[in-house]
Each structure stands twice: as C-alpha cells, then as structure tokens.
Amino acid sequence: VDFGFEPRHVLSARVELPRTKYPEAAARQQFFDRLLERARALPGVTGAAAGSSVLGASNSSSFTIEGRPERIQQPLTFDNITPDFFQVLQVPLLRGRSFSDRDTADAPLVAIINETTAKTHWPNEDALRKRFTFGGDRWMTVVGIVADTRRAGVDQRVRTESYQPYTQDPGSMTVVIRTAGQPTAIVSALRAVVRELDLEQPLARVAP
C-alpha cells in the first residue's frame, strides 16, 4: 500500500501546550518556532516540522464553497501545519505553493487541499484560488494541492483533507523530525531541547 508519504527515518512527538500557561497565540507560535529551529540543529537531523495531527483521526467538519448555496455535509479534515510539513514527510506538492513565512496571522486566510478534495468538489474546474469556509466569514483561499496520503490508516479510504498555516491558528502540535539514521537516537536530545524552552513542558507519545 502506498502511504503517500515516507515514514522511515521519522520521529514523532506530541507537544500539548497548556492554554493557562500559553494563552496568547503569539506565545504558542514562538514556542514551536524555537523548538523546530533547535531541533533542526541537532546532529543527524535533516528536517523538522509540526502539525496539529499527523496520523490517525483529524478534526473535520462540513463546509461551504463560495458561490454554492448548499452546505457540503461530507466532512473535510483540517490540520494546522508548519511550512516544512510536506517536505519533511515527503508528500508531493502537485500544484500551487506550500505555506511560507508570508502566511502570518494578519495575512489573508489560505489553505492547501489534497488531490481527492480537488477531484471531489471541483471535478471539472481548477481548485486553485477557490474559497471555502467551515463557518462564519473565515473564507480560506486554496493556494496548493498535495498528493493523497493514507494518514488515517492503510486500511482506510483516502479522506478529503485540508491544511492551514499554524501561524493563523497555533495550538498543540505533533512534531515530526526526519533523521539520517535511527530516529530514536535523538529522543534524549529532543527532550533536552524542550526542557531548555520550558522545564515543565512534557513531551508525549514519542515514537518512530
């Protein structure tokens, strides 16, 4: 089964930042920016990124496409990711662009969708630059289309998925780190990095 991403030589770890200690979005973003910067500097690390979820279940919701009266009930997943997320997991970008530093909290809302979403909801037209919303006036413009993955499980069908920049809604994240050697070899160093940033912050679900 083609996963759609390369799982070998990748370590994942969950970082749940307590909102009581990090109530401001800017503080949460700064924490992950510093964590990933220091993780990339560890010996044997070739890339580091983070996403609100990586494997298994993701948040999902019905949504509305601009110009269409009906609300689409087929759930669309939504994950917040850092710009290097697809590069670290080696998920091909098929069209458009990845997220960048210009996609800040104050910038227009943007999204990346997977190929199944593009084919399902825009079968006879170009999905790039189309807009959709999960609710209210938070309209997101599609800026990229990535290849399908089987993040939900190898025995599950490909889901309709969307991704947003973590800078526009930073929260708890799963860190993914690609290494040249065995990923478990950097666990101690990664824990040390987290302790340097916040002595009270645990690192959970650490696994290759």
Side-chain angles (χ1 to χ4, degrees), residues 16-30:
E16 299 274 359
L17 293 181
R19 293 297 177 104
T20 53
K21 191 171 186 178
Y22 296 89
E24 302 296 329
R28 297 193 295 274
Q29 179 186 339
Q30 183 183 49

Side-chain angles (χ1 to χ4, degrees), residues 85-159:
F85 184 80
F86 298 120
Q87 180 180 352
V88 170
L89 291 180
Q90 296 181 9
V91 178
L93 176 68
L94 303 180
R95 297 193 58 206
R97 68 173 178 88
S98 297
F99 297 138
S100 68
D101 293 339
R102 70 188 184 200
D103 298 312
T104 63
D106 300 324
L109 300 179
V110 293
I112 292 173
I113 60 175
N114 67 342
E115 189 175 19
T116 287
T117 301
K119 289 181 177 179
T120 300
H121 298 296
W122 292 276
N124 301 311
E125 52 187 324
D126 189 355
L128 290 179
R129 294 174 293 280
K130 296 296 192 294
R131 299 207 309 166
F132 68 91
T133 181
F134 289 107
D137 59 353
R138 290 180 57 84
W139 290 95
M140 291 171 279
T141 301
V142 177
V143 296
I145 301 171
V146 294
D148 291 336
T149 66
R150 292 187 178 272
R151 297 191 301 133
V154 295
D155 59 341
Q156 302 295 314
R157 65 181 178 83
V158 174
R159 303 172 297 186

Side-chain angles (χ1 to χ4, degrees), residues 181-200:
Q182 289 295 329
T184 52
I186 68 162
V187 171
S188 295
L190 182 61
R191 289 191 185 279
V193 166
V194 174
R195 285 196 299 268
E196 290 173 3
L197 297 176
D198 185 341
L199 191 60
E200 299 176 330

